[in-house]
Amino acid sequence: MISLSSPVKTKAHGWPAGAKLAGLCILSILLIAITSPLIHALFFSVVLFLYLLAGRIFFVSGIKKLFILWPFILIVSLWHLYNGQTAQGITIVLRLLSAVALANLVTMTTKLSDMIDVIHRLAKPLTFIGLKTQALEISIALVIRLTPELIAKGTALSQAWRARSPKRPNWKVVIPFIVVTLDDADHSAEALRARGGIQPTHKE
Amino acid sequence: MERNLTHIALFAALIAALGLIPRIELSFGIPITAQSLGIMLAGTILGAKRGALAVLLFLLLVAIGLPFLAGGRGGLGVFAGPTVGFLLGFPIAAFIIGLIVEKTRIGPIALTATLASIIGGIVVLYIVGIAGLAVKLDKSFADSAKLMYIFIPGDIIKAIIAGIITAAIAKARPASLLSKQ
Amino acid sequence: MSAQSENNKSQLHNNISCDALTYEIDGKNILNKISLETTVNRLGVVGRNGSGKSTFVRLLTGLIAPSSGKISINGIDLHKDRKSALREVGILFQNADHQIIFPTVIEEIEFGLKQLGHTKTQANAHALATLELFKKPHWKEAYCAQLSQGQKHLLCLMSIVAMAPKIIILDEPFAGLDIPTKMQLNKYLALYEGSIIHITHDPKDIEDYDTTVWIDEGAIKSLGETKEILPDYLHHMNRLGQSDDITELSR
């Protein structure tokens, strides 16, 4: 499964994921506290500069990821142009852009396996309240392993539909899709049991 | 135990797959992303606890960078964006939908599942989602709500479809309808 | 009836014991009071689709519990004692996709080893050694989803061989594979030193096995030396091929 981690390798790929996530948290809180549009403009420029440091390809793909925000930016801009509170409007738009861009930056510069390690570390203290780390570990692996298979099966079902119908598949195709999924769940449960299943205690 | 785990994991994968397979059509020829349908079905089929866990697992994988949201989006950015309230509302919606289906002992399953999906998947989800929108866009709740009105008819149709599908699954795989075990 | 072949590696002979073994779903008997006692090195299990073969192996592996009666391997109830079960039997499912749980090859092999109680480092070392044994060290980081069907089966085989159970049960794993792939997998199977129980409806797969059990309509039709059972089985199957029992719906 392809993760959204960037194929363009940066220095930040080597930094500890936990530190990057902690930094992101602090900066995101800071963003809420800042109200001056000027400081926000400065902040956003710095974020863009960070993207640029990783090169043109990285920068462009980073900017593209911000495009999904356009409807919201458009609405907020029109709203504030209409009521005249432009400074406030600029603050809201820039705060949104910086927050999303920073979070994307962490995702783009962190390997999937590093993220999963962070989750394991965060989950460990939760064993005291009954969370089974092994169950979490297996669940994550199963989803990553089986999502592409399910997409393939869903696509095959859609094609089987189109092979016998002039119309596009409608929602009815979801029914066999779910039946397939539920059966897969039973098969995986069996495979899991065949190799020992979920164990009450687990050595790391 | 294994069966619970694999159902939760497979449903998380299903929610992802529903957002990524070629779009399917509603009865009026409007293409929809079936992802929110997946959230409703997690509740109606798996029940409150397992449904909510499946959705949480799905969101966890989105957060760590898998492109599992409709259209291949994902990563931490979506949790910093204006629609974060809807993402956080997903597991709550699945839980409430599941709870209603579990606790309702009368009436046809299709109707129960549809009503549960409307209450959990539209009323509750929109309240949490719009609250998030209001915070992120710094607008009042009422003003933010106006942005969402156009999505309500489509979601009501999805709730009805969720009801019909749940009834179909109750027939095809009664043992797998964990919300009714 | 016992089956002693020329094979003198006596530790390879594992004991299977069933006593009035019955399995029912919704009042319908899938298996009906099977009793048998045998030691196996290479055991073939033949029967038609729906004869109860797959249910039989699931009981044998301890994946499901019998509705009534008893089944044990080397005296151990594998459904109750899952920990010992891992040392006794491993199973290769018909559909490799139903078996693979993890996204990458190395994780898939490591999983079973961790389940046996190996630490992370031990499991990793042992998994790498297994890949070496099968001359596939370069598969380590490969994504399971990108493997071909035959490669997925080989991965399942490696994952089980790594766990070194006394018996490997093959539940028609080669059905639907092309001839070269099947031959290659059989060659890899030879790298495993324990006992093999092979479920199939293709007599060719088990020609050189010592013992065969033929299951029909949830009961044992016959059990004995393969070279005696197979001609009988083939004759019966060919006769059924002339008939039209495909018409009948199950009750």
Side-chain angles (χ1 to χ4, degrees):
Chain A
M1 197 70 216
I2 312 292
S3 97
L4 294 167
S5 176
S6 172
V8 181
K9 291 289 167 253
T10 65
K11 257 190 199 146
H13 274 89
W15 301 348
K20 280 183 277 189
L21 289 167
L24 176 65
C25 283
I26 295 166
L27 288 175
S28 300
I29 294 167
L30 206 64
L31 274 173
I32 301 169
I34 301 170
T35 48
S36 149
L38 203 70
I39 300 179
H40 268 296
L42 198 70
F43 196 105
F44 188 53
S45 317
V46 173
V47 176
L48 288 182
F49 179 69
L50 289 175
Y51 274 88
L52 264 178
L53 280 179
R56 205 178 66 85
I57 300 171
F58 188 92
F59 179 77
V60 171
S61 76
I63 296 297
K64 271 190 191 149
K65 287 192 204 309
L66 294 178
F67 278 12
I68 55 160
L69 291 173
W70 75 262
F72 301 101
I73 290 171
L74 183 73
I75 288 165
V76 172
S77 305
L78 289 175
W79 178 290
H80 285 272
L81 281 175
Y82 178 74
N83 73 8
Q85 299 166 320
T86 26
Q88 201 198 348
I90 293 169
T91 299
I92 296 169
V93 168
L94 286 175
R95 181 189 286 151
L96 192 60
L97 282 169
S98 297
V100 175
L102 263 179
N104 283 340
L105 194 59
V106 174
T107 297
M108 288 172 73
T109 58
T110 309
K111 281 190 301 181
L112 185 62
S113 52
D114 291 348
M115 285 284 193
I116 292 175
D117 285 344
V118 172
I119 289 176
H120 288 168
R121 255 177 288 145
L122 290 176
K124 232 171 229 163
L126 298 180
T127 46
F128 291 110
I129 58 160
L131 182 93
K132 293 196 176 68
T133 47
Q134 190 206 11
L136 181 66
E137 188 181 337
I138 294 174
S139 308
I140 292 173
L142 258 180
V143 180
I144 296 174
R145 147 98 183 109
L146 289 172
T147 301
E149 305 275 350
L150 276 187
I151 293 171
K153 283 174 190 167
T155 311
L157 281 168
S158 292
Q159 282 165 357
W161 175 289
R162 298 200 78 159
R164 286 183 290 165
S165 163
K167 291 198 200 130
R168 282 171 67 111
N170 74 16
W171 58 271
K172 284 188 188 115
V173 82
V174 178
I175 296 172
F177 193 29
I178 290 174
V179 171
V180 165
T181 307
L182 292 172
D183 289 349
D184 276 357
D186 285 335
H187 292 309
S188 295
E190 190 169 58
L192 212 51
R193 266 186 69 75
R195 282 187 287 166
I198 314 288
Q199 292 165 351
T201 48
H202 181 53
K203 285 182 213 157
E204 223 14 278
Chain B
M1 178 69 208
E2 286 86 14
R3 203 158 171 259
N4 279 342
L5 181 144
T6 55
H7 273 83
I8 289 166
L10 261 296
F11 240 87
L14 177 80
I15 296 168
L18 280 175
L20 301 171
I21 54 172
R23 292 188 167 202
I24 48 182
E25 265 176 28
L26 291 182
S27 31
F28 315 120
I30 316 160
I32 56 157
T33 73
Q35 203 144 52
S36 51
L37 187 63
I39 305 291
M40 292 173 180
L41 291 170
T44 62
I45 294 175
L46 295 187
K49 203 175 148 204
R50 284 173 288 242
L53 284 173
V55 178
L56 279 173
L57 182 59
F58 165 73
L59 290 179
L60 182 69
L61 286 152
V62 169
I64 63 175
L66 288 161
F68 281 174
L69 283 175
R73 290 178 299 125
L76 293 163
V78 297
F79 292 91
T83 50
V84 57
F86 287 91
L87 297 181
L88 300 181
F90 279 168
I92 303 171
F95 187 86
I96 288 173
I97 294 168
L99 200 64
I100 295 172
V101 174
E102 280 171 14
K103 297 289 176 206
T104 311
R105 293 268 171 250
I106 45 161
I109 176 88
L111 186 68
T112 311
T114 298
L115 291 178
S117 298
I118 289 174
I119 296 167
I122 301 179
V123 179
V124 174
L125 178 64
Y126 276 44
I127 290 173
V128 183
I130 291 168
L133 211 53
V135 170
K136 276 285 171 182
L137 301 182
D138 206 359
K139 299 283 162 284
S140 73
F141 187 88
D143 286 334
S144 307
K146 284 177 197 152
L147 294 176
M148 299 310 299
Y149 288 158
I150 52 160
F151 295 107
I152 291 177
D155 277 350
I156 289 177
I157 296 173
K158 279 185 208 171
I160 295 168
I161 292 174
I164 300 170
I165 291 177
T166 307
I169 298 301
K171 266 204 191 119
R173 290 290 183 278
S176 290
L177 201 73
L178 302 180
S179 61
K180 284 289 181 193
Q181 298 296 306
Chain C
M1 144 162 210
S2 90
Q4 281 298 329
S5 71
E6 298 77 40
N7 199 322
N8 52 13
K9 287 188 232 163
S10 61
Q11 76 274 16
L12 286 187
H13 289 115
N14 291 289
N15 175 268
I16 298 174
S17 159
C18 304
D19 182 23
L21 181 70
T22 301
Y23 189 80
E24 56 174 305
I25 301 174
D26 301 329
K28 197 177 145 191
N29 278 353
I30 309 295
L31 287 181
N32 199 5
K33 291 194 179 145
I34 286 192
S35 294
L36 68 87
E37 189 77 42
T38 184
T39 48
V40 293
N41 176 28
R42 293 283 186 273
L43 173 71
V45 181
V46 290
R48 299 186 68 193
N49 295 333
S51 58
K53 296 187 305 264
S54 273
T55 306
F56 181 61
V57 289
R58 273 160 183 72
L59 287 162
L60 209 54
T61 327
L63 285 173
I64 52 179
S67 308
S68 64
K70 273 189 209 138
I71 182 163
S72 64
I73 288 184
N74 297 332
I76 304 168
D77 178 339
L78 298 190
H79 182 73
K80 291 217 180 85
D81 190 353
R82 291 304 297 157
K83 220 157 191 153
S84 306
L86 296 185
R87 308 249 175 224
E88 297 300 319
V89 293
I91 179 168
L92 214 57
F93 290 103
Q94 184 167 8
N95 186 334
D97 278 324
H98 290 162
Q99 180 155 357
I100 301 172
I101 298 168
F102 288 82
T104 60
V105 168
I106 189 84
E107 287 174 284
E108 180 66 16
I109 303 177
E110 280 171 356
F111 172 66
L113 296 166
K114 285 194 214 156
Q115 292 288 87
L116 284 174
H118 292 336
T119 63
K120 225 171 171 173
T121 8
Q122 284 170 339
N124 184 264
H126 196 127
L128 290 175
T130 306
L131 283 168
E132 258 340 306
L133 174 71
F134 285 82
K135 303 201 171 55
K136 299 285 171 289
H138 57 290
W139 281 27
K140 195 173 91 159
E141 299 294 338
Y143 281 95
C144 301
Q146 287 162 359
L147 299 179
S148 74
Q149 216 46 44
Q151 288 170 333
K152 281 180 182 170
H153 276 286
L154 181 53
L155 169 59
C156 291
L157 181 63
M158 289 193 288
S159 307
I160 299 299
V161 169
M163 293 172 77
K166 290 182 195 149
I167 307 173
I168 287 184
I169 298 180
L170 310 172
D171 182 11
E172 302 188 51
F174 305 148
L177 294 178
D178 60 31
I179 297 165
T181 310
K182 202 166 160 175
M183 284 168 64
Q184 289 171 31
L185 283 170
N186 270 319
K187 207 170 62 197
Y188 284 116
L189 195 57
L191 288 173
Y192 168 70
E193 290 166 342
S195 297
I196 291 175
I197 301 177
H198 195 152
I199 289 81
T200 182
H201 51 245
D202 184 359
K204 275 206 198 73
D205 289 341
I206 53 163
E207 267 165 356
D208 48 4
Y209 281 30
D210 41 17
T211 318
T212 290
V213 55
W214 173 6
I215 297 183
D216 194 46
E217 291 180 1
I220 291 185
K221 184 122 175 167
S222 54
L223 164 70
E225 282 190 44
T226 303
K227 54 178 185 280
E228 281 165 20
I229 304 258
L230 278 187
D232 219 20
Y233 172 73
L234 266 175
H235 177 72
H236 191 71
M237 291 302 115
N238 283 328
R239 218 182 54 218
L240 285 174
Q242 311 297 324
S243 74
D244 191 31
D245 72 345
I246 205 167
T247 316
E248 288 168 33
L249 293 173
S250 70
R251 287 125 348 240

Short mmCIF file of all heavy atoms in Angstrom, two decimals, chain A residues 9 36 108 138-140 154 158 181 185 204:
data_model
loop_
_atom_site.label_atom_id
_atom_site.label_comp_id
_atom_site.label_asym_id
_atom_site.label_seq_id
_atom_site.Cartn_x
_atom_site.Cartn_y
_atom_site.Cartn_z
N LYS A 9 13.03 12.14 -0.93
CA LYS A 9 13.58 12.00 0.43
C LYS A 9 14.17 13.32 0.90
O LYS A 9 14.90 13.99 0.17
CB LYS A 9 14.65 10.91 0.46
CG LYS A 9 14.08 9.52 0.25
CD LYS A 9 13.26 9.06 1.48
CE LYS A 9 12.43 7.83 1.17
NZ LYS A 9 10.99 8.12 1.04
N SER A 36 -2.74 38.20 14.73
CA SER A 36 -2.30 39.24 13.78
C SER A 36 -2.14 38.66 12.37
O SER A 36 -1.44 37.67 12.17
CB SER A 36 -0.97 39.82 14.25
OG SER A 36 -0.21 40.22 13.14
N MET A 108 4.23 13.99 4.89
CA MET A 108 5.07 13.79 3.70
C MET A 108 6.50 13.40 4.05
O MET A 108 7.19 12.79 3.24
CB MET A 108 5.08 15.05 2.82
CG MET A 108 3.75 15.27 2.08
SD MET A 108 3.70 16.88 1.26
CE MET A 108 4.82 16.60 -0.12
N ILE A 138 -2.03 -6.27 14.85
CA ILE A 138 -2.58 -7.14 13.81
C ILE A 138 -3.67 -6.41 13.01
O ILE A 138 -3.74 -6.52 11.79
CB ILE A 138 -3.13 -8.45 14.41
CG1 ILE A 138 -1.98 -9.26 15.00
CG2 ILE A 138 -3.86 -9.29 13.35
CD1 ILE A 138 -2.43 -10.50 15.75
N SER A 139 -4.50 -5.63 13.72
CA SER A 139 -5.57 -4.91 13.03
C SER A 139 -5.00 -3.95 11.99
O SER A 139 -5.47 -3.90 10.85
CB SER A 139 -6.40 -4.09 14.01
OG SER A 139 -6.84 -4.88 15.06
N ILE A 140 -4.00 -3.18 12.39
CA ILE A 140 -3.40 -2.21 11.46
C ILE A 140 -2.84 -2.95 10.24
O ILE A 140 -3.08 -2.58 9.09
CB ILE A 140 -2.29 -1.39 12.16
CG1 ILE A 140 -2.93 -0.48 13.21
CG2 ILE A 140 -1.50 -0.56 11.15
CD1 ILE A 140 -1.91 0.26 14.07
N GLY A 154 -14.00 -4.99 -5.24
CA GLY A 154 -15.07 -4.04 -5.50
C GLY A 154 -15.08 -3.62 -6.97
O GLY A 154 -16.13 -3.54 -7.61
N SER A 158 -17.96 -4.26 -9.84
CA SER A 158 -18.47 -3.19 -10.70
C SER A 158 -18.37 -3.59 -12.18
O SER A 158 -19.28 -3.33 -12.96
CB SER A 158 -17.68 -1.89 -10.50
OG SER A 158 -17.92 -1.39 -9.22
N THR A 181 -16.79 -9.02 1.98
CA THR A 181 -15.98 -8.52 3.10
C THR A 181 -16.21 -9.33 4.37
O THR A 181 -15.27 -9.69 5.06
CB THR A 181 -16.34 -7.04 3.37
OG1 THR A 181 -16.23 -6.31 2.16
CG2 THR A 181 -15.41 -6.45 4.40
N ALA A 185 -13.60 -11.65 6.43
CA ALA A 185 -13.34 -11.49 7.87
C ALA A 185 -13.34 -12.86 8.55
O ALA A 185 -12.50 -13.14 9.40
CB ALA A 185 -14.39 -10.58 8.50
N GLU A 204 7.32 -8.80 23.61
CA GLU A 204 7.75 -7.86 22.57
C GLU A 204 9.16 -8.22 22.16
O GLU A 204 10.01 -8.42 22.98
CB GLU A 204 7.69 -6.47 23.17
CG GLU A 204 7.12 -5.34 22.35
CD GLU A 204 6.33 -5.65 21.09
OE1 GLU A 204 6.92 -5.89 20.05
OE2 GLU A 204 5.09 -5.60 21.17
#
